Amino acid sequence: SDPTECGTYISALKCVGCHVGSLLPANSLDYSSNWTCAKCNIEVECEKVECIVDYIEDELNEITNNSDFQKYQDFIKEYSGIILHPNHFLLTTARRNLMQYLCYSVPIFEKSKQE
């Protein structure tokens, strides 16, 4: 029943009202619960939160499906701490995918030697 998910804020969005607090479910055990900000007490309908997350998730999936791994950095910069909490699961996924890409890609200086 902890809306912060043990302090990880893995599902939290930045508040659309005060832009300082985090939006979290008012009742974390109710999937259709409205989301509220602890700082300014604004309330956002669950459907709006779902719409935002679905849109951003589609964008992340597009980056992955197009193998355009350089865009992960732009994705993280655009959403981290601005729309999504920095620990949000979509940002964590983007960071993981970016790290995998960087670890397994051939460095640029080696590519030029191969050509």
Side-chain angles (χ1 to χ4, degrees):
S1 68
D2 173 17
T4 68
E5 297 169 291
C6 295
T8 63
Y9 293 84
I10 201 124
S11 298
L13 276 66
K14 291 304 292 180
C15 179
V16 296
C18 68
H19 305 285
V20 176
S22 296
L23 289 174
L24 294 165
N27 178 357
S28 59
L29 299 178
D30 179 5
Y31 184 75
S32 60
S33 172
N34 286 343
W35 290 48
T36 58
C37 174
K39 298 271 187 209
C40 72
N41 294 321
I42 194 171
E43 193 167 297
V44 178
E45 292 181 356
C46 177
E47 293 81 16
K48 183 173 182 179
V49 171
E50 287 176 358
C51 185
I52 293 167
V53 172
D54 287 348
Y55 176 84
I56 296 171
E57 187 170 22
D58 287 346
E59 187 175 335
L60 180 60
N61 289 335
E62 188 175 319
I63 293 169
T64 304
N65 293 338
N66 291 333
S67 300
D68 198 355
F69 299 108
Q70 301 289 341
K71 287 196 175 179
Y72 281 124
Q73 290 176 316
D74 296 334
F75 178 90
I76 294 165
K77 188 182 222 178
E78 182 176 350
Y79 293 113
S80 183
I82 298 166
I83 296 175
L84 302 175
H85 187 280
N87 295 343
H88 195 277
F89 74 91
L90 291 174
L91 292 169
T92 302
T93 300
R95 286 186 199 100
R96 183 203 64 209
N97 292 351
L98 178 60
M99 285 189 295
Q100 285 180 323
Y101 166 72
L102 294 173
C103 286
Y104 296 109
S105 65
V106 178
I108 295 171
F109 67 89
E110 285 186 25
K111 281 186 181 180
S112 63
K113 287 180 185 178
Q114 291 176 355
E115 295 172 354

